[in-house]
mmCIF file of all heavy atoms in Angstrom:
data_model
loop_
_atom_site.group_PDB
_atom_site.id
_atom_site.type_symbol
_atom_site.label_atom_id
_atom_site.label_comp_id
_atom_site.label_asym_id
_atom_site.label_seq_id
_atom_site.Cartn_x
_atom_site.Cartn_y
_atom_site.Cartn_z
ATOM 1 N N GLU A 12 12.019 16.847 6.461
ATOM 2 C CA GLU A 12 11.328 16.146 5.384
ATOM 3 C C GLU A 12 11.665 16.688 4.032
ATOM 4 O O GLU A 12 11.763 15.981 3.043
ATOM 5 C CB GLU A 12 9.812 16.190 5.660
ATOM 6 C CG GLU A 12 9.359 15.355 6.835
ATOM 7 C CD GLU A 12 7.897 15.545 7.192
ATOM 8 O OE1 GLU A 12 7.315 16.563 6.762
ATOM 9 O OE2 GLU A 12 7.336 14.715 7.897
ATOM 10 N N PRO A 20 16.514 11.245 -4.746
ATOM 11 C CA PRO A 20 17.199 10.781 -5.970
ATOM 12 C C PRO A 20 18.630 10.293 -5.808
ATOM 13 O O PRO A 20 19.128 9.531 -6.642
ATOM 14 C CB PRO A 20 17.170 12.057 -6.869
ATOM 15 C CG PRO A 20 16.085 12.909 -6.297
ATOM 16 C CD PRO A 20 16.084 12.623 -4.838
ATOM 17 N N SER A 101 4.020 5.718 -9.045
ATOM 18 C CA SER A 101 3.852 6.869 -9.974
ATOM 19 C C SER A 101 2.348 7.282 -10.037
ATOM 20 O O SER A 101 2.013 8.456 -10.103
ATOM 21 C CB SER A 101 4.375 6.575 -11.381
ATOM 22 O OG SER A 101 3.904 5.326 -11.844
ATOM 23 N N LEU A 105 0.831 11.019 -9.095
ATOM 24 C CA LEU A 105 0.092 11.811 -10.101
ATOM 25 C C LEU A 105 -1.393 11.971 -9.700
ATOM 26 O O LEU A 105 -2.022 13.016 -10.003
ATOM 27 C CB LEU A 105 0.232 11.210 -11.496
ATOM 28 C CG LEU A 105 1.645 11.343 -12.100
ATOM 29 C CD1 LEU A 105 1.712 10.576 -13.386
ATOM 30 C CD2 LEU A 105 1.995 12.799 -12.322
ATOM 31 N N PHE A 119 -5.917 20.875 -16.594
ATOM 32 C CA PHE A 119 -5.040 19.744 -16.937
ATOM 33 C C PHE A 119 -3.790 19.756 -16.060
ATOM 34 O O PHE A 119 -3.442 20.775 -15.513
ATOM 35 C CB PHE A 119 -4.658 19.742 -18.387
ATOM 36 C CG PHE A 119 -3.867 20.921 -18.854
ATOM 37 C CD1 PHE A 119 -2.480 20.871 -19.000
ATOM 38 C CD2 PHE A 119 -4.498 22.146 -19.176
ATOM 39 C CE1 PHE A 119 -1.725 21.968 -19.392
ATOM 40 C CE2 PHE A 119 -3.754 23.253 -19.583
ATOM 41 C CZ PHE A 119 -2.373 23.168 -19.691
ATOM 42 N N LEU A 129 12.774 29.441 -16.115
ATOM 43 C CA LEU A 129 14.208 29.271 -15.859
ATOM 44 C C LEU A 129 14.487 27.983 -15.103
ATOM 45 O O LEU A 129 15.644 27.684 -14.786
ATOM 46 C CB LEU A 129 14.700 30.481 -15.065
ATOM 47 C CG LEU A 129 14.685 31.791 -15.813
ATOM 48 C CD1 LEU A 129 15.140 32.941 -14.938
ATOM 49 C CD2 LEU A 129 15.569 31.753 -17.080
ATOM 50 N N GLU A 156 7.323 5.651 -19.795
ATOM 51 C CA GLU A 156 6.416 4.545 -19.975
ATOM 52 C C GLU A 156 5.332 4.571 -18.882
ATOM 53 O O GLU A 156 4.170 4.301 -19.174
ATOM 54 C CB GLU A 156 7.178 3.225 -19.910
ATOM 55 C CG GLU A 156 8.147 3.006 -21.058
ATOM 56 C CD GLU A 156 7.451 3.108 -22.432
ATOM 57 O OE1 GLU A 156 6.367 2.470 -22.558
ATOM 58 O OE2 GLU A 156 7.951 3.811 -23.319
ATOM 59 N N PHE A 158 4.189 7.284 -17.416
ATOM 60 C CA PHE A 158 3.302 8.349 -17.749
ATOM 61 C C PHE A 158 2.288 7.971 -18.804
ATOM 62 O O PHE A 158 1.083 8.239 -18.691
ATOM 63 C CB PHE A 158 4.078 9.592 -18.218
ATOM 64 C CG PHE A 158 4.905 10.261 -17.151
ATOM 65 C CD1 PHE A 158 6.138 10.796 -17.457
ATOM 66 C CD2 PHE A 158 4.465 10.338 -15.833
ATOM 67 C CE1 PHE A 158 6.907 11.419 -16.458
ATOM 68 C CE2 PHE A 158 5.232 10.951 -14.851
ATOM 69 C CZ PHE A 158 6.454 11.509 -15.190
ATOM 70 N N LEU A 161 -0.418 5.717 -17.572
ATOM 71 C CA LEU A 161 -1.337 6.417 -16.688
ATOM 72 C C LEU A 161 -2.158 7.480 -17.435
ATOM 73 O O LEU A 161 -2.860 8.273 -16.796
ATOM 74 C CB LEU A 161 -0.547 7.059 -15.527
ATOM 75 C CG LEU A 161 0.109 6.097 -14.576
ATOM 76 C CD1 LEU A 161 1.078 6.740 -13.610
ATOM 77 C CD2 LEU A 161 -0.947 5.275 -13.770
ATOM 78 N N VAL A 164 -0.155 12.224 -22.175
ATOM 79 C CA VAL A 164 0.315 12.285 -23.557
ATOM 80 C C VAL A 164 1.358 13.426 -23.689
ATOM 81 O O VAL A 164 1.354 14.341 -22.854
ATOM 82 C CB VAL A 164 -0.848 12.566 -24.520
ATOM 83 C CG1 VAL A 164 -1.827 11.374 -24.524
ATOM 84 C CG2 VAL A 164 -1.557 13.857 -24.224
ATOM 85 N N LEU A 176 33.688 22.356 -31.659
ATOM 86 C CA LEU A 176 34.180 23.641 -32.220
ATOM 87 C C LEU A 176 35.091 23.405 -33.448
ATOM 88 O O LEU A 176 35.141 24.284 -34.305
ATOM 89 C CB LEU A 176 34.939 24.407 -31.152
ATOM 90 C CG LEU A 176 34.049 25.454 -30.409
ATOM 91 C CD1 LEU A 176 32.975 24.753 -29.598
ATOM 92 C CD2 LEU A 176 34.892 26.348 -29.534
ATOM 93 N N ALA A 199 30.544 44.548 -29.181
ATOM 94 C CA ALA A 199 30.494 43.495 -28.118
ATOM 95 C C ALA A 199 31.053 44.027 -26.846
ATOM 96 O O ALA A 199 31.981 44.859 -26.834
ATOM 97 C CB ALA A 199 31.259 42.274 -28.581
ATOM 98 N N GLU A 207 31.559 43.631 -12.960
ATOM 99 C CA GLU A 207 31.298 44.373 -14.226
ATOM 100 C C GLU A 207 29.962 43.943 -14.836
ATOM 101 O O GLU A 207 29.338 44.754 -15.546
ATOM 102 C CB GLU A 207 32.437 44.076 -15.238
ATOM 103 C CG GLU A 207 33.762 44.651 -14.842
ATOM 104 C CD GLU A 207 34.882 44.261 -15.800
ATOM 105 O OE1 GLU A 207 34.611 43.403 -16.690
ATOM 106 O OE2 GLU A 207 35.998 44.765 -15.723
ATOM 107 N N TYR A 211 24.287 45.367 -15.660
ATOM 108 C CA TYR A 211 23.542 45.002 -16.876
ATOM 109 C C TYR A 211 22.434 43.977 -16.615
ATOM 110 O O TYR A 211 21.641 43.662 -17.505
ATOM 111 C CB TYR A 211 24.467 44.421 -17.965
ATOM 112 C CG TYR A 211 25.439 45.399 -18.563
ATOM 113 C CD1 TYR A 211 26.707 45.587 -17.979
ATOM 114 C CD2 TYR A 211 25.107 46.148 -19.703
ATOM 115 C CE1 TYR A 211 27.620 46.478 -18.512
ATOM 116 C CE2 TYR A 211 26.040 47.046 -20.227
ATOM 117 C CZ TYR A 211 27.291 47.195 -19.657
ATOM 118 O OH TYR A 211 28.163 48.079 -20.181
ATOM 119 N N TYR A 239 16.847 38.178 -6.995
ATOM 120 C CA TYR A 239 17.205 36.870 -6.385
ATOM 121 C C TYR A 239 18.201 36.103 -7.234
ATOM 122 O O TYR A 239 19.229 35.596 -6.744
ATOM 123 C CB TYR A 239 15.950 36.078 -6.150
ATOM 124 C CG TYR A 239 16.109 34.671 -5.660
ATOM 125 C CD1 TYR A 239 16.353 34.406 -4.363
ATOM 126 C CD2 TYR A 239 16.009 33.585 -6.585
ATOM 127 C CE1 TYR A 239 16.501 33.121 -3.879
ATOM 128 C CE2 TYR A 239 16.183 32.287 -6.098
ATOM 129 C CZ TYR A 239 16.400 32.052 -4.761
ATOM 130 O OH TYR A 239 16.545 30.748 -4.327
ATOM 131 N N GLY A 288 33.869 19.439 -2.053
ATOM 132 C CA GLY A 288 33.045 19.611 -3.245
ATOM 133 C C GLY A 288 33.293 20.904 -4.008
ATOM 134 O O GLY A 288 33.348 20.949 -5.221
ATOM 135 N N VAL A 303 28.398 24.741 -21.619
ATOM 136 C CA VAL A 303 26.968 24.525 -21.682
ATOM 137 C C VAL A 303 26.295 25.846 -22.046
ATOM 138 O O VAL A 303 26.472 26.865 -21.364
ATOM 139 C CB VAL A 303 26.423 24.032 -20.363
ATOM 140 C CG1 VAL A 303 24.878 23.862 -20.390
ATOM 141 C CG2 VAL A 303 27.079 22.725 -19.980
ATOM 142 N N ALA A 310 16.755 41.131 -29.090
ATOM 143 C CA ALA A 310 15.677 42.110 -29.245
ATOM 144 C C ALA A 310 14.926 41.791 -30.531
ATOM 145 O O ALA A 310 15.535 41.468 -31.566
ATOM 146 C CB ALA A 310 16.215 43.515 -29.296
ATOM 147 N N GLU A 325 32.744 36.148 -30.396
ATOM 148 C CA GLU A 325 33.314 36.461 -29.086
ATOM 149 C C GLU A 325 33.497 35.179 -28.259
ATOM 150 O O GLU A 325 34.498 35.023 -27.566
ATOM 151 C CB GLU A 325 32.446 37.466 -28.340
ATOM 152 C CG GLU A 325 32.286 38.812 -28.982
ATOM 153 C CD GLU A 325 33.656 39.518 -29.145
ATOM 154 O OE1 GLU A 325 34.489 39.389 -28.218
ATOM 155 O OE2 GLU A 325 33.849 40.193 -30.153
ATOM 156 N N THR A 367 7.268 17.374 -22.039
ATOM 157 C CA THR A 367 6.375 17.355 -20.883
ATOM 158 C C THR A 367 5.236 16.392 -21.218
ATOM 159 O O THR A 367 5.006 16.053 -22.383
ATOM 160 C CB THR A 367 5.766 18.781 -20.635
ATOM 161 O OG1 THR A 367 5.047 19.184 -21.794
ATOM 162 C CG2 THR A 367 6.842 19.774 -20.295
ATOM 163 N N ALA A 373 -10.162 15.157 -14.827
ATOM 164 C CA ALA A 373 -11.552 14.702 -14.929
ATOM 165 C C ALA A 373 -12.422 15.621 -14.113
ATOM 166 O O ALA A 373 -12.145 15.928 -12.907
ATOM 167 C CB ALA A 373 -11.637 13.271 -14.412
#
Side-chain angles (χ1 to χ4, degrees):
E12 290 172 343
S101 50
L105 290 173
F119 63 99
L129 294 176
E156 294 304 314
F158 291 145
L161 294 170
V164 297
L176 266 65
E207 293 176 351
Y211 291 91
Y239 174 79
V303 178
E325 296 300 323
T367 59

